[in-house]
mmCIF file with all atom_site columns, all heavy atoms in Angstrom:
data_model
loop_
_atom_site.group_PDB
_atom_site.id
_atom_site.type_symbol
_atom_site.label_atom_id
_atom_site.label_alt_id
_atom_site.label_comp_id
_atom_site.label_asym_id
_atom_site.label_entity_id
_atom_site.label_seq_id
_atom_site.pdbx_PDB_ins_code
_atom_site.Cartn_x
_atom_site.Cartn_y
_atom_site.Cartn_z
_atom_site.occupancy
_atom_site.B_iso_or_equiv
_atom_site.pdbx_formal_charge
_atom_site.auth_seq_id
_atom_site.auth_comp_id
_atom_site.auth_asym_id
_atom_site.auth_atom_id
_atom_site.pdbx_PDB_model_num
ATOM 1   N N   . GLU A 1 1  ? 52.417 28.437 -77.853 1.00 0.00 ? 292 GLU A N   1
ATOM 2   C CA  . GLU A 1 1  ? 53.475 27.592 -77.263 1.00 0.00 ? 292 GLU A CA  1
ATOM 3   C C   . GLU A 1 1  ? 53.386 27.765 -75.751 1.00 0.00 ? 292 GLU A C   1
ATOM 4   O O   . GLU A 1 1  ? 53.432 28.918 -75.261 1.00 0.00 ? 292 GLU A O   1
ATOM 5   C CB  . GLU A 1 1  ? 54.846 27.962 -77.762 1.00 0.00 ? 292 GLU A CB  1
ATOM 6   C CG  . GLU A 1 1  ? 55.954 27.115 -77.138 1.00 0.00 ? 292 GLU A CG  1
ATOM 7   C CD  . GLU A 1 1  ? 57.333 27.513 -77.629 1.00 0.00 ? 292 GLU A CD  1
ATOM 8   O OE1 . GLU A 1 1  ? 57.418 28.381 -78.540 1.00 0.00 ? 292 GLU A OE1 1
ATOM 9   O OE2 . GLU A 1 1  ? 58.329 26.953 -77.087 1.00 0.00 ? 292 GLU A OE2 1
ATOM 10  N N   . LEU A 1 2  ? 53.189 26.683 -75.024 1.00 0.00 ? 293 LEU A N   1
ATOM 11  C CA  . LEU A 1 2  ? 53.061 26.739 -73.584 1.00 0.00 ? 293 LEU A CA  1
ATOM 12  C C   . LEU A 1 2  ? 54.419 26.596 -72.913 1.00 0.00 ? 293 LEU A C   1
ATOM 13  O O   . LEU A 1 2  ? 55.380 26.148 -73.539 1.00 0.00 ? 293 LEU A O   1
ATOM 14  C CB  . LEU A 1 2  ? 52.108 25.653 -73.078 1.00 0.00 ? 293 LEU A CB  1
ATOM 15  C CG  . LEU A 1 2  ? 50.605 26.040 -73.103 1.00 0.00 ? 293 LEU A CG  1
ATOM 16  C CD1 . LEU A 1 2  ? 50.092 26.137 -74.543 1.00 0.00 ? 293 LEU A CD1 1
ATOM 17  C CD2 . LEU A 1 2  ? 49.767 25.016 -72.334 1.00 0.00 ? 293 LEU A CD2 1
ATOM 18  N N   . ASP A 1 3  ? 54.459 26.942 -71.623 1.00 0.00 ? 294 ASP A N   1
ATOM 19  C CA  . ASP A 1 3  ? 55.693 26.876 -70.871 1.00 0.00 ? 294 ASP A CA  1
ATOM 20  C C   . ASP A 1 3  ? 56.196 25.462 -70.748 1.00 0.00 ? 294 ASP A C   1
ATOM 21  O O   . ASP A 1 3  ? 57.415 25.238 -70.598 1.00 0.00 ? 294 ASP A O   1
ATOM 22  C CB  . ASP A 1 3  ? 55.468 27.487 -69.483 1.00 0.00 ? 294 ASP A CB  1
ATOM 23  C CG  . ASP A 1 3  ? 56.755 28.024 -68.869 1.00 0.00 ? 294 ASP A CG  1
ATOM 24  O OD1 . ASP A 1 3  ? 57.695 28.260 -69.649 1.00 0.00 ? 294 ASP A OD1 1
ATOM 25  O OD2 . ASP A 1 3  ? 56.797 28.201 -67.672 1.00 0.00 ? 294 ASP A OD2 1
ATOM 26  N N   . GLY A 1 4  ? 55.321 24.499 -70.836 1.00 0.00 ? 295 GLY A N   1
ATOM 27  C CA  . GLY A 1 4  ? 55.735 23.094 -70.761 1.00 0.00 ? 295 GLY A CA  1
ATOM 28  C C   . GLY A 1 4  ? 56.285 22.529 -72.052 1.00 0.00 ? 295 GLY A C   1
ATOM 29  O O   . GLY A 1 4  ? 56.656 21.352 -72.081 1.00 0.00 ? 295 GLY A O   1
ATOM 30  N N   . GLY A 1 5  ? 56.318 23.324 -73.101 1.00 0.00 ? 296 GLY A N   1
ATOM 31  C CA  . GLY A 1 5  ? 56.842 22.844 -74.365 1.00 0.00 ? 296 GLY A CA  1
ATOM 32  C C   . GLY A 1 5  ? 55.769 22.504 -75.390 1.00 0.00 ? 296 GLY A C   1
ATOM 33  O O   . GLY A 1 5  ? 56.100 22.312 -76.573 1.00 0.00 ? 296 GLY A O   1
ATOM 34  N N   . GLU A 1 6  ? 54.541 22.378 -74.992 1.00 0.00 ? 297 GLU A N   1
ATOM 35  C CA  . GLU A 1 6  ? 53.484 22.037 -75.960 1.00 0.00 ? 297 GLU A CA  1
ATOM 36  C C   . GLU A 1 6  ? 53.255 23.219 -76.880 1.00 0.00 ? 297 GLU A C   1
ATOM 37  O O   . GLU A 1 6  ? 53.136 24.364 -76.434 1.00 0.00 ? 297 GLU A O   1
ATOM 38  C CB  . GLU A 1 6  ? 52.185 21.690 -75.214 1.00 0.00 ? 297 GLU A CB  1
ATOM 39  C CG  . GLU A 1 6  ? 52.271 20.523 -74.230 1.00 0.00 ? 297 GLU A CG  1
ATOM 40  C CD  . GLU A 1 6  ? 52.655 21.001 -72.845 1.00 0.00 ? 297 GLU A CD  1
ATOM 41  O OE1 . GLU A 1 6  ? 53.009 22.211 -72.712 1.00 0.00 ? 297 GLU A OE1 1
ATOM 42  O OE2 . GLU A 1 6  ? 52.619 20.197 -71.908 1.00 0.00 ? 297 GLU A OE2 1
ATOM 43  N N   . GLN A 1 7  ? 53.160 22.958 -78.171 1.00 0.00 ? 298 GLN A N   1
ATOM 44  C CA  . GLN A 1 7  ? 52.893 24.015 -79.124 1.00 0.00 ? 298 GLN A CA  1
ATOM 45  C C   . GLN A 1 7  ? 52.091 23.458 -80.296 1.00 0.00 ? 298 GLN A C   1
ATOM 46  O O   . GLN A 1 7  ? 52.196 22.263 -80.607 1.00 0.00 ? 298 GLN A O   1
ATOM 47  C CB  . GLN A 1 7  ? 54.196 24.661 -79.626 1.00 0.00 ? 298 GLN A CB  1
ATOM 48  C CG  . GLN A 1 7  ? 55.154 23.710 -80.300 1.00 0.00 ? 298 GLN A CG  1
ATOM 49  C CD  . GLN A 1 7  ? 56.402 24.430 -80.783 1.00 0.00 ? 298 GLN A CD  1
ATOM 50  O OE1 . GLN A 1 7  ? 56.331 25.621 -81.070 1.00 0.00 ? 298 GLN A OE1 1
ATOM 51  N NE2 . GLN A 1 7  ? 57.535 23.734 -80.857 1.00 0.00 ? 298 GLN A NE2 1
ATOM 52  N N   . GLY A 1 8  ? 51.307 24.308 -80.893 1.00 0.00 ? 299 GLY A N   1
ATOM 53  C CA  . GLY A 1 8  ? 50.464 23.892 -82.006 1.00 0.00 ? 299 GLY A CA  1
ATOM 54  C C   . GLY A 1 8  ? 49.361 24.890 -82.209 1.00 0.00 ? 299 GLY A C   1
ATOM 55  O O   . GLY A 1 8  ? 49.207 25.876 -81.485 1.00 0.00 ? 299 GLY A O   1
ATOM 56  N N   . LYS A 1 9  ? 48.549 24.640 -83.223 1.00 0.00 ? 300 LYS A N   1
ATOM 57  C CA  . LYS A 1 9  ? 47.396 25.468 -83.528 1.00 0.00 ? 300 LYS A CA  1
ATOM 58  C C   . LYS A 1 9  ? 46.154 24.983 -82.771 1.00 0.00 ? 300 LYS A C   1
ATOM 59  O O   . LYS A 1 9  ? 45.862 23.809 -82.766 1.00 0.00 ? 300 LYS A O   1
ATOM 60  C CB  . LYS A 1 9  ? 47.138 25.405 -85.063 1.00 0.00 ? 300 LYS A CB  1
ATOM 61  C CG  . LYS A 1 9  ? 45.981 26.263 -85.498 1.00 0.00 ? 300 LYS A CG  1
ATOM 62  C CD  . LYS A 1 9  ? 45.761 26.127 -87.015 1.00 0.00 ? 300 LYS A CD  1
ATOM 63  C CE  . LYS A 1 9  ? 44.581 26.953 -87.480 1.00 0.00 ? 300 LYS A CE  1
ATOM 64  N NZ  . LYS A 1 9  ? 44.387 26.820 -88.946 1.00 0.00 ? 300 LYS A NZ  1
ATOM 65  N N   . ILE A 1 10 ? 45.452 25.901 -82.125 1.00 0.00 ? 301 ILE A N   1
ATOM 66  C CA  . ILE A 1 10 ? 44.263 25.533 -81.376 1.00 0.00 ? 301 ILE A CA  1
ATOM 67  C C   . ILE A 1 10 ? 43.150 25.226 -82.361 1.00 0.00 ? 301 ILE A C   1
ATOM 68  O O   . ILE A 1 10 ? 42.726 26.101 -83.139 1.00 0.00 ? 301 ILE A O   1
ATOM 69  C CB  . ILE A 1 10 ? 43.824 26.666 -80.414 1.00 0.00 ? 301 ILE A CB  1
ATOM 70  C CG1 . ILE A 1 10 ? 44.945 26.995 -79.410 1.00 0.00 ? 301 ILE A CG1 1
ATOM 71  C CG2 . ILE A 1 10 ? 42.559 26.269 -79.665 1.00 0.00 ? 301 ILE A CG2 1
ATOM 72  C CD1 . ILE A 1 10 ? 44.622 28.146 -78.511 1.00 0.00 ? 301 ILE A CD1 1
ATOM 73  N N   . VAL A 1 11 ? 42.709 23.989 -82.387 1.00 0.00 ? 302 VAL A N   1
ATOM 74  C CA  . VAL A 1 11 ? 41.633 23.572 -83.322 1.00 0.00 ? 302 VAL A CA  1
ATOM 75  C C   . VAL A 1 11 ? 40.287 23.394 -82.625 1.00 0.00 ? 302 VAL A C   1
ATOM 76  O O   . VAL A 1 11 ? 39.266 23.383 -83.290 1.00 0.00 ? 302 VAL A O   1
ATOM 77  C CB  . VAL A 1 11 ? 42.019 22.277 -84.050 1.00 0.00 ? 302 VAL A CB  1
ATOM 78  C CG1 . VAL A 1 11 ? 43.223 22.496 -84.938 1.00 0.00 ? 302 VAL A CG1 1
ATOM 79  C CG2 . VAL A 1 11 ? 42.307 21.144 -83.050 1.00 0.00 ? 302 VAL A CG2 1
ATOM 80  N N   . LYS A 1 12 ? 40.298 23.265 -81.280 1.00 0.00 ? 303 LYS A N   1
ATOM 81  C CA  . LYS A 1 12 ? 39.025 23.090 -80.590 1.00 0.00 ? 303 LYS A CA  1
ATOM 82  C C   . LYS A 1 12 ? 39.238 23.487 -79.112 1.00 0.00 ? 303 LYS A C   1
ATOM 83  O O   . LYS A 1 12 ? 40.259 23.167 -78.535 1.00 0.00 ? 303 LYS A O   1
ATOM 84  C CB  . LYS A 1 12 ? 38.552 21.650 -80.668 1.00 0.00 ? 303 LYS A CB  1
ATOM 85  C CG  . LYS A 1 12 ? 37.191 21.383 -80.037 1.00 0.00 ? 303 LYS A CG  1
ATOM 86  C CD  . LYS A 1 12 ? 36.798 19.924 -80.124 1.00 0.00 ? 303 LYS A CD  1
ATOM 87  C CE  . LYS A 1 12 ? 36.602 19.479 -81.578 1.00 0.00 ? 303 LYS A CE  1
ATOM 88  N NZ  . LYS A 1 12 ? 36.112 18.094 -81.654 1.00 0.00 ? 303 LYS A NZ  1
ATOM 89  N N   . MET A 1 13 ? 38.247 24.212 -78.588 1.00 0.00 ? 304 MET A N   1
ATOM 90  C CA  . MET A 1 13 ? 38.265 24.591 -77.172 1.00 0.00 ? 304 MET A CA  1
ATOM 91  C C   . MET A 1 13 ? 37.007 24.006 -76.530 1.00 0.00 ? 304 MET A C   1
ATOM 92  O O   . MET A 1 13 ? 35.891 24.318 -76.928 1.00 0.00 ? 304 MET A O   1
ATOM 93  C CB  . MET A 1 13 ? 38.309 26.101 -76.993 1.00 0.00 ? 304 MET A CB  1
ATOM 94  C CG  . MET A 1 13 ? 39.573 26.742 -77.548 1.00 0.00 ? 304 MET A CG  1
ATOM 95  S SD  . MET A 1 13 ? 39.795 28.475 -77.096 1.00 0.00 ? 304 MET A SD  1
ATOM 96  C CE  . MET A 1 13 ? 40.221 28.295 -75.348 1.00 0.00 ? 304 MET A CE  1
ATOM 97  N N   . MET A 1 14 ? 37.225 23.118 -75.553 1.00 0.00 ? 305 MET A N   1
ATOM 98  C CA  . MET A 1 14 ? 36.117 22.441 -74.892 1.00 0.00 ? 305 MET A CA  1
ATOM 99  C C   . MET A 1 14 ? 36.024 22.907 -73.442 1.00 0.00 ? 305 MET A C   1
ATOM 100 O O   . MET A 1 14 ? 36.773 23.783 -72.985 1.00 0.00 ? 305 MET A O   1
ATOM 101 C CB  . MET A 1 14 ? 36.337 20.930 -74.984 1.00 0.00 ? 305 MET A CB  1
ATOM 102 C CG  . MET A 1 14 ? 36.433 20.408 -76.423 1.00 0.00 ? 305 MET A CG  1
ATOM 103 S SD  . MET A 1 14 ? 36.738 18.630 -76.493 1.00 0.00 ? 305 MET A SD  1
ATOM 104 C CE  . MET A 1 14 ? 38.379 18.553 -75.805 1.00 0.00 ? 305 MET A CE  1
ATOM 105 N N   . ALA A 1 15 ? 35.067 22.348 -72.725 1.00 0.00 ? 306 ALA A N   1
ATOM 106 C CA  . ALA A 1 15 ? 34.845 22.796 -71.338 1.00 0.00 ? 306 ALA A CA  1
ATOM 107 C C   . ALA A 1 15 ? 36.043 22.436 -70.456 1.00 0.00 ? 306 ALA A C   1
ATOM 108 O O   . ALA A 1 15 ? 36.335 23.188 -69.521 1.00 0.00 ? 306 ALA A O   1
ATOM 109 C CB  . ALA A 1 15 ? 33.579 22.141 -70.789 1.00 0.00 ? 306 ALA A CB  1
ATOM 110 N N   . ARG A 1 16 ? 36.733 21.345 -70.720 1.00 0.00 ? 307 ARG A N   1
ATOM 111 C CA  . ARG A 1 16 ? 37.825 20.904 -69.831 1.00 0.00 ? 307 ARG A CA  1
ATOM 112 C C   . ARG A 1 16 ? 39.211 21.197 -70.406 1.00 0.00 ? 307 ARG A C   1
ATOM 113 O O   . ARG A 1 16 ? 40.136 21.449 -69.665 1.00 0.00 ? 307 ARG A O   1
ATOM 114 C CB  . ARG A 1 16 ? 37.705 19.393 -69.573 1.00 0.00 ? 307 ARG A CB  1
ATOM 115 C CG  . ARG A 1 16 ? 38.659 18.859 -68.524 1.00 0.00 ? 307 ARG A CG  1
ATOM 116 C CD  . ARG A 1 16 ? 38.674 17.353 -68.522 1.00 0.00 ? 307 ARG A CD  1
ATOM 117 N NE  . ARG A 1 16 ? 39.193 16.803 -69.759 1.00 0.00 ? 307 ARG A NE  1
ATOM 118 C CZ  . ARG A 1 16 ? 40.495 16.659 -69.994 1.00 0.00 ? 307 ARG A CZ  1
ATOM 119 N NH1 . ARG A 1 16 ? 41.385 17.019 -69.105 1.00 0.00 ? 307 ARG A NH1 1
ATOM 120 N NH2 . ARG A 1 16 ? 40.898 16.122 -71.159 1.00 0.00 ? 307 ARG A NH2 1
ATOM 121 N N   . ALA A 1 17 ? 39.353 21.149 -71.717 1.00 0.00 ? 308 ALA A N   1
ATOM 122 C CA  . ALA A 1 17 ? 40.683 21.279 -72.290 1.00 0.00 ? 308 ALA A CA  1
ATOM 123 C C   . ALA A 1 17 ? 40.590 21.884 -73.687 1.00 0.00 ? 308 ALA A C   1
ATOM 124 O O   . ALA A 1 17 ? 39.529 22.023 -74.260 1.00 0.00 ? 308 ALA A O   1
ATOM 125 C CB  . ALA A 1 17 ? 41.355 19.904 -72.360 1.00 0.00 ? 308 ALA A CB  1
ATOM 126 N N   . ALA A 1 18 ? 41.783 22.243 -74.195 1.00 0.00 ? 309 ALA A N   1
ATOM 127 C CA  . ALA A 1 18 ? 41.905 22.740 -75.556 1.00 0.00 ? 309 ALA A CA  1
ATOM 128 C C   . ALA A 1 18 ? 42.745 21.717 -76.336 1.00 0.00 ? 309 ALA A C   1
ATOM 129 O O   . ALA A 1 18 ? 43.620 21.056 -75.762 1.00 0.00 ? 309 ALA A O   1
ATOM 130 C CB  . ALA A 1 18 ? 42.591 24.107 -75.608 1.00 0.00 ? 309 ALA A CB  1
ATOM 131 N N   . ILE A 1 19 ? 42.474 21.595 -77.610 1.00 0.00 ? 310 ILE A N   1
ATOM 132 C CA  . ILE A 1 19 ? 43.196 20.658 -78.481 1.00 0.00 ? 310 ILE A CA  1
ATOM 133 C C   . ILE A 1 19 ? 44.090 21.425 -79.410 1.00 0.00 ? 310 ILE A C   1
ATOM 134 O O   . ILE A 1 19 ? 43.646 22.301 -80.158 1.00 0.00 ? 310 ILE A O   1
ATOM 135 C CB  . ILE A 1 19 ? 42.213 19.779 -79.280 1.00 0.00 ? 310 ILE A CB  1
ATOM 136 C CG1 . ILE A 1 19 ? 41.395 18.905 -78.315 1.00 0.00 ? 310 ILE A CG1 1
ATOM 137 C CG2 . ILE A 1 19 ? 42.975 18.888 -80.232 1.00 0.00 ? 310 ILE A CG2 1
ATOM 138 C CD1 . ILE A 1 19 ? 40.420 17.992 -79.009 1.00 0.00 ? 310 ILE A CD1 1
ATOM 139 N N   . LEU A 1 20 ? 45.383 21.153 -79.341 1.00 0.00 ? 311 LEU A N   1
ATOM 140 C CA  . LEU A 1 20 ? 46.373 21.740 -80.217 1.00 0.00 ? 311 LEU A CA  1
ATOM 141 C C   . LEU A 1 20 ? 46.759 20.738 -81.309 1.00 0.00 ? 311 LEU A C   1
ATOM 142 O O   . LEU A 1 20 ? 46.961 19.563 -81.022 1.00 0.00 ? 311 LEU A O   1
ATOM 143 C CB  . LEU A 1 20 ? 47.660 22.145 -79.441 1.00 0.00 ? 311 LEU A CB  1
ATOM 144 C CG  . LEU A 1 20 ? 47.496 22.983 -78.182 1.00 0.00 ? 311 LEU A CG  1
ATOM 145 C CD1 . LEU A 1 20 ? 48.856 23.313 -77.607 1.00 0.00 ? 311 LEU A CD1 1
ATOM 146 C CD2 . LEU A 1 20 ? 46.690 24.242 -78.462 1.00 0.00 ? 311 LEU A CD2 1
ATOM 147 N N   . GLU A 1 21 ? 46.835 21.212 -82.540 1.00 0.00 ? 312 GLU A N   1
ATOM 148 C CA  . GLU A 1 21 ? 47.257 20.381 -83.677 1.00 0.00 ? 312 GLU A CA  1
ATOM 149 C C   . GLU A 1 21 ? 48.644 20.825 -84.076 1.00 0.00 ? 312 GLU A C   1
ATOM 150 O O   . GLU A 1 21 ? 48.836 21.959 -84.496 1.00 0.00 ? 312 GLU A O   1
ATOM 151 C CB  . GLU A 1 21 ? 46.273 20.468 -84.822 1.00 0.00 ? 312 GLU A CB  1
ATOM 152 C CG  . GLU A 1 21 ? 46.651 19.547 -85.966 1.00 0.00 ? 312 GLU A CG  1
ATOM 153 C CD  . GLU A 1 21 ? 45.638 19.613 -87.105 1.00 0.00 ? 312 GLU A CD  1
ATOM 154 O OE1 . GLU A 1 21 ? 44.844 20.534 -87.131 1.00 0.00 ? 312 GLU A OE1 1
ATOM 155 O OE2 . GLU A 1 21 ? 45.689 18.725 -87.977 1.00 0.00 ? 312 GLU A OE2 1
ATOM 156 N N   . THR A 1 22 ? 49.592 19.913 -83.992 1.00 0.00 ? 313 THR A N   1
ATOM 157 C CA  . THR A 1 22 ? 50.964 20.226 -84.393 1.00 0.00 ? 313 THR A CA  1
ATOM 158 C C   . THR A 1 22 ? 51.082 20.134 -85.905 1.00 0.00 ? 313 THR A C   1
ATOM 159 O O   . THR A 1 22 ? 50.204 19.626 -86.600 1.00 0.00 ? 313 THR A O   1
ATOM 160 C CB  . THR A 1 22 ? 51.959 19.263 -83.733 1.00 0.00 ? 313 THR A CB  1
ATOM 161 O OG1 . THR A 1 22 ? 51.688 17.928 -84.159 1.00 0.00 ? 313 THR A OG1 1
ATOM 162 C CG2 . THR A 1 22 ? 51.810 19.329 -82.216 1.00 0.00 ? 313 THR A CG2 1
ATOM 163 N N   . PHE A 1 23 ? 52.215 20.631 -86.434 1.00 0.00 ? 314 PHE A N   1
ATOM 164 C CA  . PHE A 1 23 ? 52.410 20.602 -87.883 1.00 0.00 ? 314 PHE A CA  1
ATOM 165 C C   . PHE A 1 23 ? 52.637 19.222 -88.424 1.00 0.00 ? 314 PHE A C   1
ATOM 166 O O   . PHE A 1 23 ? 52.511 18.980 -89.639 1.00 0.00 ? 314 PHE A O   1
ATOM 167 C CB  . PHE A 1 23 ? 53.589 21.511 -88.264 1.00 0.00 ? 314 PHE A CB  1
ATOM 168 C CG  . PHE A 1 23 ? 53.244 22.969 -88.244 1.00 0.00 ? 314 PHE A CG  1
ATOM 169 C CD1 . PHE A 1 23 ? 53.867 23.820 -87.373 1.00 0.00 ? 314 PHE A CD1 1
ATOM 170 C CD2 . PHE A 1 23 ? 52.283 23.490 -89.102 1.00 0.00 ? 314 PHE A CD2 1
ATOM 171 C CE1 . PHE A 1 23 ? 53.548 25.163 -87.359 1.00 0.00 ? 314 PHE A CE1 1
ATOM 172 C CE2 . PHE A 1 23 ? 51.946 24.821 -89.096 1.00 0.00 ? 314 PHE A CE2 1
ATOM 173 C CZ  . PHE A 1 23 ? 52.598 25.672 -88.212 1.00 0.00 ? 314 PHE A CZ  1
ATOM 174 N N   . ASP A 1 24 ? 52.962 18.274 -87.546 1.00 0.00 ? 315 ASP A N   1
ATOM 175 C CA  . ASP A 1 24 ? 53.120 16.902 -88.015 1.00 0.00 ? 315 ASP A CA  1
ATOM 176 C C   . ASP A 1 24 ? 51.826 16.084 -87.837 1.00 0.00 ? 315 ASP A C   1
ATOM 177 O O   . ASP A 1 24 ? 51.835 14.884 -87.987 1.00 0.00 ? 315 ASP A O   1
ATOM 178 C CB  . ASP A 1 24 ? 54.258 16.193 -87.296 1.00 0.00 ? 315 ASP A CB  1
ATOM 179 C CG  . ASP A 1 24 ? 54.133 16.250 -85.775 1.00 0.00 ? 315 ASP A CG  1
ATOM 180 O OD1 . ASP A 1 24 ? 53.121 16.791 -85.294 1.00 0.00 ? 315 ASP A OD1 1
ATOM 181 O OD2 . ASP A 1 24 ? 55.032 15.746 -85.082 1.00 0.00 ? 315 ASP A OD2 1
ATOM 182 N N   . GLY A 1 25 ? 50.718 16.774 -87.586 1.00 0.00 ? 316 GLY A N   1
ATOM 183 C CA  . GLY A 1 25 ? 49.395 16.126 -87.574 1.00 0.00 ? 316 GLY A CA  1
ATOM 184 C C   . GLY A 1 25 ? 48.971 15.549 -86.260 1.00 0.00 ? 316 GLY A C   1
ATOM 185 O O   . GLY A 1 25 ? 47.865 14.982 -86.178 1.00 0.00 ? 316 GLY A O   1
ATOM 186 N N   . ARG A 1 26 ? 49.748 15.679 -85.210 1.00 0.00 ? 317 ARG A N   1
ATOM 187 C CA  . ARG A 1 26 ? 49.353 15.136 -83.900 1.00 0.00 ? 317 ARG A CA  1
ATOM 188 C C   . ARG A 1 26 ? 48.462 16.107 -83.144 1.00 0.00 ? 317 ARG A C   1
ATOM 189 O O   . ARG A 1 26 ? 48.621 17.318 -83.261 1.00 0.00 ? 317 ARG A O   1
ATOM 190 C CB  . ARG A 1 26 ? 50.592 14.774 -83.071 1.00 0.00 ? 317 ARG A CB  1
ATOM 191 C CG  . ARG A 1 26 ? 51.437 13.656 -83.666 1.00 0.00 ? 317 ARG A CG  1
ATOM 192 C CD  . ARG A 1 26 ? 52.618 13.349 -82.739 1.00 0.00 ? 317 ARG A CD  1
ATOM 193 N NE  . ARG A 1 26 ? 53.368 12.176 -83.199 1.00 0.00 ? 317 ARG A NE  1
ATOM 194 C CZ  . ARG A 1 26 ? 54.368 12.243 -84.058 1.00 0.00 ? 317 ARG A CZ  1
ATOM 195 N NH1 . ARG A 1 26 ? 54.713 13.408 -84.570 1.00 0.00 ? 317 ARG A NH1 1
ATOM 196 N NH2 . ARG A 1 26 ? 55.000 11.143 -84.439 1.00 0.00 ? 317 ARG A NH2 1
ATOM 197 N N   . TRP A 1 27 ? 47.553 15.552 -82.361 1.00 0.00 ? 318 TRP A N   1
ATOM 198 C CA  . TRP A 1 27 ? 46.679 16.363 -81.497 1.00 0.00 ? 318 TRP A CA  1
ATOM 199 C C   . TRP A 1 27 ? 47.191 16.274 -80.070 1.00 0.00 ? 318 TRP A C   1
ATOM 200 O O   . TRP A 1 27 ? 47.425 15.185 -79.550 1.00 0.00 ? 318 TRP A O   1
ATOM 201 C CB  . TRP A 1 27 ? 45.249 15.877 -81.598 1.00 0.00 ? 318 TRP A CB  1
ATOM 202 C CG  . TRP A 1 27 ? 44.522 16.399 -82.792 1.00 0.00 ? 318 TRP A CG  1
ATOM 203 C CD1 . TRP A 1 27 ? 45.066 16.859 -83.947 1.00 0.00 ? 318 TRP A CD1 1
ATOM 204 C CD2 . TRP A 1 27 ? 43.113 16.530 -82.939 1.00 0.00 ? 318 TRP A CD2 1
ATOM 205 N NE1 . TRP A 1 27 ? 44.126 17.252 -84.850 1.00 0.00 ? 318 TRP A NE1 1
ATOM 206 C CE2 . TRP A 1 27 ? 42.886 17.070 -84.243 1.00 0.00 ? 318 TRP A CE2 1
ATOM 207 C CE3 . TRP A 1 27 ? 42.019 16.268 -82.154 1.00 0.00 ? 318 TRP A CE3 1
ATOM 208 C CZ2 . TRP A 1 27 ? 41.631 17.346 -84.749 1.00 0.00 ? 318 TRP A CZ2 1
ATOM 209 C CZ3 . TRP A 1 27 ? 40.742 16.520 -82.626 1.00 0.00 ? 318 TRP A CZ3 1
ATOM 210 C CH2 . TRP A 1 27 ? 40.547 17.068 -83.910 1.00 0.00 ? 318 TRP A CH2 1
ATOM 211 N N   . VAL A 1 28 ? 47.341 17.443 -79.442 1.00 0.00 ? 319 VAL A N   1
ATOM 212 C CA  . VAL A 1 28 ? 47.795 17.525 -78.060 1.00 0.00 ? 319 VAL A CA  1
ATOM 213 C C   . VAL A 1 28 ? 46.655 18.118 -77.224 1.00 0.00 ? 319 VAL A C   1
ATOM 214 O O   . VAL A 1 28 ? 46.199 19.220 -77.513 1.00 0.00 ? 319 VAL A O   1
ATOM 215 C CB  . VAL A 1 28 ? 49.074 18.393 -77.942 1.00 0.00 ? 319 VAL A CB  1
ATOM 216 C CG1 . VAL A 1 28 ? 49.556 18.429 -76.501 1.00 0.00 ? 319 VAL A CG1 1
ATOM 217 C CG2 . VAL A 1 28 ? 50.175 17.865 -78.841 1.00 0.00 ? 319 VAL A CG2 1
ATOM 218 N N   . VAL A 1 29 ? 46.213 17.356 -76.222 1.00 0.00 ? 320 VAL A N   1
ATOM 219 C CA  . VAL A 1 29 ? 45.154 17.829 -75.334 1.00 0.00 ? 320 VAL A CA  1
ATOM 220 C C   . VAL A 1 29 ? 45.812 18.538 -74.164 1.00 0.00 ? 320 VAL A C   1
ATOM 221 O O   . VAL A 1 29 ? 46.554 17.973 -73.386 1.00 0.00 ? 320 VAL A O   1
ATOM 222 C CB  . VAL A 1 29 ? 44.282 16.650 -74.847 1.00 0.00 ? 320 VAL A CB  1
ATOM 223 C CG1 . VAL A 1 29 ? 43.189 17.160 -73.941 1.00 0.00 ? 320 VAL A CG1 1
ATOM 224 C CG2 . VAL A 1 29 ? 43.681 15.904 -76.034 1.00 0.00 ? 320 VAL A CG2 1
ATOM 225 N N   . VAL A 1 30 ? 45.506 19.853 -74.040 1.00 0.00 ? 321 VAL A N   1
ATOM 226 C CA  . VAL A 1 30 ? 46.111 20.678 -73.000 1.00 0.00 ? 321 VAL A CA  1
ATOM 227 C C   . VAL A 1 30 ? 44.991 21.132 -72.081 1.00 0.00 ? 321 VAL A C   1
ATOM 228 O O   . VAL A 1 30 ? 44.027 21.766 -72.531 1.00 0.00 ? 321 VAL A O   1
ATOM 229 C CB  . VAL A 1 30 ? 46.847 21.881 -73.611 1.00 0.00 ? 321 VAL A CB  1
ATOM 230 C CG1 . VAL A 1 30 ? 47.436 22.750 -72.519 1.00 0.00 ? 321 VAL A CG1 1
ATOM 231 C CG2 . VAL A 1 30 ? 47.885 21.421 -74.600 1.00 0.00 ? 321 VAL A CG2 1
ATOM 232 N N   . PRO A 1 31 ? 45.059 20.868 -70.736 1.00 0.00 ? 322 PRO A N   1
ATOM 233 C CA  . PRO A 1 31 ? 44.040 21.358 -69.811 1.00 0.00 ? 322 PRO A CA  1
ATOM 234 C C   . PRO A 1 31 ? 43.959 22.867 -69.859 1.00 0.00 ? 322 PRO A C   1
ATOM 235 O O   . PRO A 1 31 ? 44.964 23.564 -70.013 1.00 0.00 ? 322 PRO A O   1
ATOM 236 C CB  . PRO A 1 31 ? 44.527 20.858 -68.451 1.00 0.00 ? 322 PRO A CB  1
ATOM 237 C CG  . PRO A 1 31 ? 45.401 19.680 -68.767 1.00 0.00 ? 322 PRO A CG  1
ATOM 238 C CD  . PRO A 1 31 ? 46.069 20.009 -70.097 1.00 0.00 ? 322 PRO A CD  1
#
C-alpha cells in the first residue's frame, strides 16, 4: 500500500513501473 492510496499485489516489475493487481481485478501502474 503506497502513501498515495494505491494498494494491491505486485504482479510485474518492469524497467519503468510496477503493476499492482487489486482484489477486484484492476491493474494499477505505479512508477
Side-chain angles (χ1 to χ4, degrees):
E292 180 181 355
L293 275 68
D294 205 18
E297 302 89 352
Q298 60 178 332
K300 180 181 179 181
I301 302 177
V302 295
K303 184 181 295 185
M304 297 190 72
M305 301 178 293
R307 188 192 65 84
I310 296 180
L311 309 183
E312 184 178 14
T313 63
F314 283 117
D315 55 3
R317 293 182 174 88
W318 278 23
V319 182
V320 180
V321 180

